[in-house]
Amino acid sequence: MTVFASCEKPASTTSAGPPEVLVTEVTQKDVPVILEFVGTLNGVENAQVRAREVGYLQTIAYQQGGYVKKGDLLFEIDPRPFIAALDQAKGQLQEAQATLLGVEFDAKSAKELFDKKVISEQQYVNETQGYQTKFAAVAAAQAAVDNAQLNLSYTKITSPLDGIAGQQQAQIGDLVGTGENQVLTTVSQIAPMWFLLPISEQTYWQFADALKEAMARPEAERPEKVELILADGSVYPHKGKFAFVGRYVDEKTGTIQIAISFPNPELTLRPGQYGRARAEIKTIPNALLIPQQAVSQLQGYDQVVVVSPDGKAEIRTVKVGQPYGRNMIVVTQGLKLGEKVIVEGFQKVRQGMEVSAKTYTDASTTQGAQNDSKRNSTSQTKSATAGQKSGESGVGRSG
């Protein structure tokens, strides 16, 4: 870090002429505000597959880590006890139905005889109640059959959604559906994938309006403009869009969770992978730009040296914003468009000193200011640090 001198040097007895410095003009252009956040990938849905009946595992029908579709068979429990239970329930239903046929005929006969005043009302009521009792027994037997059929169907454990099936948590022959073997595997929906990232409350308030505007649109209409940088440094070929903003601030971490949805047609993204999301949040119109190397610090304040039209140096306090391109930075306060700042040689000058200004022509500076927005990213930490720099100070010189 370069720090300007606080005391003037004794006057030299030999005049060597004004020191030569390299200067560049303050430029202006629209600058996108692009932030990077570290986060992890996760499935939109992560379904834990459990046995709904107690039994011995007979079949494992899927490939661990393979892609499955909703309804695909994953596991099968030994169905024989459930088949026997179903057969028993069916037998009891047939018995109840046969009994019902007999009392149904008696009830109809009792109705005819009662209408003809042949039997008493009490006898008629008894016959009718007997029929209703047997009718209810048939309904109960039918429900038992349905329940046994349902239990038998639970012996075939299928995938609840399309996705990647994880490692099996039980072996063939294990008693499942109780005790330790509750979760057999997990299926994660990975097309699309969610990139989950926490942002600080301070950062949230900086971009709350932009996030609110994005969330106001239906998800299908939200622009896909978020890039994903993978762990190996490569850029994922498909861009994502904001999926949701968390409803609350985590009291322990002071962060709000944001989810970005990325398409995953090749199924290469997997839950748990780390990455960095790079998103253009907003644009600063007509931002003033200077090379980063023109900025120095003194006692926590950012300063530059401006060369006035009469060729004299003026040390000036400025406020800077986010970096832009490879070596440019936004100046939010303290400079005007067209003013000339010293890029090289400011260590040799003092306040009010006459200088010999030459044009700074570093090609990388010009190219950096014209780079595509992909290269105009800054980390959340840098943005927060730049945002906290404030205040002006008069820079005096003490003898």
Side-chain angles (χ1 to χ4, degrees):
M1 178 185 297
T2 303
V3 179
F4 294 117
S6 60
C7 297
E8 296 182 0
K9 296 180 179 180
S12 175
T13 56
T14 302
S15 176
E20 183 175 296
V21 296
L22 299 182
V23 301
T24 188
E25 290 188 357
V26 178
T27 58
Q28 186 179 63
K29 69 179 302 181
D30 295 342
V31 173
V33 178
I34 300 178
L35 298 181
E36 285 188 3
F37 301 94
V38 177
T40 57
L41 289 163
N42 202 357
V44 175
E45 291 187 61
N46 298 291
Q48 292 184 330
V49 179
R50 302 171 184 267
R52 303 181 70 173
E53 284 293 334
V54 178
Y56 290 96
L57 195 61
Q58 176 176 277
T59 304
I60 299 175
Y62 78 102
Q63 181 179 358
Q64 298 180 75
Y67 187 80
V68 296
K69 294 184 178 181
K70 182 177 181 179
D72 284 354
L73 181 65
L74 302 179
F75 302 92
E76 185 175 7
I77 297 173
D78 185 357
R80 289 174 297 179
F82 300 92
I83 293 174
L86 176 59
D87 291 342
Q88 181 180 8
K90 287 181 177 179
Q92 292 172 347
L93 173 61
Q94 292 174 351
E95 180 180 354
Q97 288 174 335
T99 303
L100 179 63
L101 288 176
V103 297
E104 182 178 12
F105 177 78
D106 293 341
K108 289 181 178 179
S109 298
K111 178 68 169 59
E112 294 176 358
L113 294 174
F114 176 73
D115 291 341
K116 296 178 180 179
K117 307 297 184 180
V118 175
I119 61 175
S120 67
E121 182 179 357
Q122 183 61 48
Q123 188 175 359
Y124 167 68
V125 170
N126 291 340
E127 294 292 342
T128 302
Q129 287 179 342
Y131 168 75
Q132 292 176 341
T133 300
K134 298 303 180 182
F135 184 84
V138 169
Q142 181 63 60
V145 170
D146 295 341
N147 186 61
Q149 185 69 59
L150 182 63
N151 292 339
L152 177 60
S153 70
Y154 287 155
T155 62
K156 294 183 181 296
I157 304 170
T158 60
S159 175
L161 48 83
D162 296 347
I164 297 294
Q167 184 178 3
Q168 67 190 53
Q169 302 299 316
Q171 304 295 327
I172 292 177
D174 287 352
L175 181 65
V176 298
T178 183
E180 297 179 356
N181 294 326
Q182 289 291 334
V183 179
L184 301 180
T185 190
T186 300
V187 179
S188 297
Q189 180 182 335
I190 63 171
M193 286 286 288
W194 274 355
F195 184 79
L196 303 177
L197 55 96
I199 64 171
S200 67
E201 189 175 357
Q202 179 184 6
T203 302
Y204 168 78
W205 282 118
Q206 291 176 3
F207 306 106
D209 291 340
L211 291 171
K212 181 180 179 180
E213 181 180 353
M215 293 298 101
R217 300 181 182 181
E219 186 171 352
E221 299 178 7
R222 296 171 192 168
E224 295 181 344
K225 59 180 183 180
V226 184
E227 290 183 328
L228 176 62
I229 299 94
L230 304 174
D232 62 355
S234 63
V235 178
Y236 184 62
H238 306 285
K239 292 187 177 182
K241 57 187 176 183
F242 286 99
F244 72 81
V245 178
R247 65 178 180 84
Y248 69 98
V249 176
D250 190 311
E251 296 180 356
K252 296 180 180 179
T253 63
T255 59
I256 301 175
Q257 189 172 73
I258 291 180
I260 300 172
S261 177
F262 284 95
N264 191 23
E266 296 86 10
L267 306 180
T268 53
L269 299 180
R270 295 297 178 98
Q273 291 178 327
Y274 284 87
R276 290 177 290 129
R278 183 162 54 194
E280 179 180 331
I281 304 299
K282 63 179 181 180
T283 299
I284 304 174
N286 301 320
L288 299 180
L289 296 168
I290 61 173
Q292 292 189 44
Q293 67 188 86
V295 181
S296 296
Q297 283 195 342
L298 178 64
Q299 298 178 352
Y301 293 101
D302 293 310
Q303 295 183 332
V304 298
V305 181
V306 179
V307 177
S308 63
D310 59 1
K312 292 185 179 181
E314 176 191 351
I315 299 175
R316 191 180 299 176
T317 300
V318 297
K319 290 183 180 180
V320 297
Q322 71 166 53
Y324 175 69
R326 286 187 295 181
N327 58 0
M328 303 294 282
I329 195 167
V330 174
V331 178
T332 60
Q333 187 174 327
L335 289 177
K336 296 180 181 180
L337 178 64
E339 287 188 310
K340 295 181 179 180
V341 297
I342 297 178
V343 181
E344 293 184 3
F346 50 72
Q347 300 91 340
K348 302 180 289 185
V349 304
R350 302 188 304 274
Q351 179 74 13
M353 176 182 286
E354 185 176 348
V355 297
S356 175
K358 304 296 182 181
T359 302
Y360 177 72
T361 57
D362 185 2
S364 64
T365 301
T366 304
Q367 182 179 1
Q370 297 174 347
N371 279 335
D372 185 79
S373 62
K374 290 182 179 180
R375 310 175 66 177
N376 303 332
S377 64
T378 179
S379 67
Q380 179 182 357
T381 304
K382 290 183 178 179
S383 297
T385 303
Q388 292 172 356
K389 295 176 181 177
S390 61
E392 296 184 17
S393 63
V395 182
R397 295 289 173 176
S398 58

